[in-house]
Amino acid sequence: DAGVIQSPRHEVTEMGQEVTLRCKPISGHDYLFWYRQTMMRGLELLIYFNNNVPIDDSGMPEDRFSAKMPNASFSTLKIQPSEPRDSAVYFCASSFAGQTYEQYFGPGTRLTVT
Amino acid sequence: KNQVEQSPQSLIILEGKNCTLQCNYTVSPFSNLRWYKQDTGRGPVSLTIMTFSENTKSNGRYTATLDADTKQSSLHITASQLSDSASYICVVTPSGGYQKVTFGTGTKLQVIP
């Protein structure tokens, strides 16, 4: 298996622009997670899905952030409009409930908002 | 408030030496405690997962221990290698699901020749 795939790997955008991050989970996994990592705050869970349904989005910082999972093999995290404080590395992870919460992380998308 | 504190923040050791990283948590009740290794520029990779009823779990040269009474966990690395240089993150998941999963800020380990 190719593992969790994220795109793009790097994104540089100007403040106010829309940013869309993409994730393809491992085939057969029924949980998908979006995380944000910064030097100041470490890793933070933003939102997670189970069987394509958002279960908990309490970690989403504000209404500018939205996430969707239209099918079992694809998810997006959108920021509109973007701000410099959104600069971070965004990770997607997936897991299968039968594996005792083992999560497999993608390589991350490094977002820089200028 | 659920917290996970790791110590030390950073550590430098000589190749071949052993080291122990600490994790103290306040999450209760909790479902599982995980240790991740994160190489620079990459996503975290799971090293061990322990439920509340487990005391120790090994993965090669990595051994994690858990004391649920004192709410402490440690990760012991034996015969360190240069490739062990990374950040090590302790993550605690509360009972009932992934809500409020709490991450430690990590220990940055550097192994030098």
Side-chain angles (χ1 to χ4, degrees), chain A residues 35 37 56 91 101-103, chain B residues 32 38 46 98-99 103:
Chain A
Y35 293 91
Q37 187 176 41
D56 184 4
F91 288 103
Y101 302 103
E102 176 88 55
Q103 292 185 29
Chain B
N32 61 78
Q38 185 175 22
S46 180
Y98 295 102
Q99 292 92 338
F103 294 84

Side-chain angles (χ1 to χ4, degrees), chain A residues 97-114:
Chain A
Q99 287 186 301
T100 323
Y101 302 103
E102 176 88 55
Q103 292 185 29
Y104 296 84
F105 282 75
T109 294
R110 180 173 294 278
L111 173 64
T112 303
V113 183
T114 61

Side-chain angles (χ1 to χ4, degrees), chain A residues 9 31 33 35 37 41-45 48 55-56 58 91 95 99-103 105-108 110, chain B residues 31-32 34 36 38 41-47 49 51 89 91 93 96-101 103-105:
Chain A
R9 292 295 310 278
Y31 282 86
F33 307 81
Y35 293 91
Q37 187 176 41
R41 300 172 68 92
L43 267 168
E44 301 172 282
L45 176 64
Y48 77 93
I55 302 301
D56 184 4
S58 60
F91 288 103
S95 72
Q99 287 186 301
T100 323
Y101 302 103
E102 176 88 55
Q103 292 185 29
F105 282 75
R110 180 173 294 278
Chain B
S31 171
N32 61 78
R34 293 169 274 161
Y36 283 93
Q38 185 175 22
R42 315 205 51 177
V45 175
S46 180
L47 292 176
I49 300 175
T51 65
I89 303 170
V91 184
T93 303
Y98 295 102
Q99 292 92 338
K100 308 306 180 189
V101 60
F103 294 84
T105 53

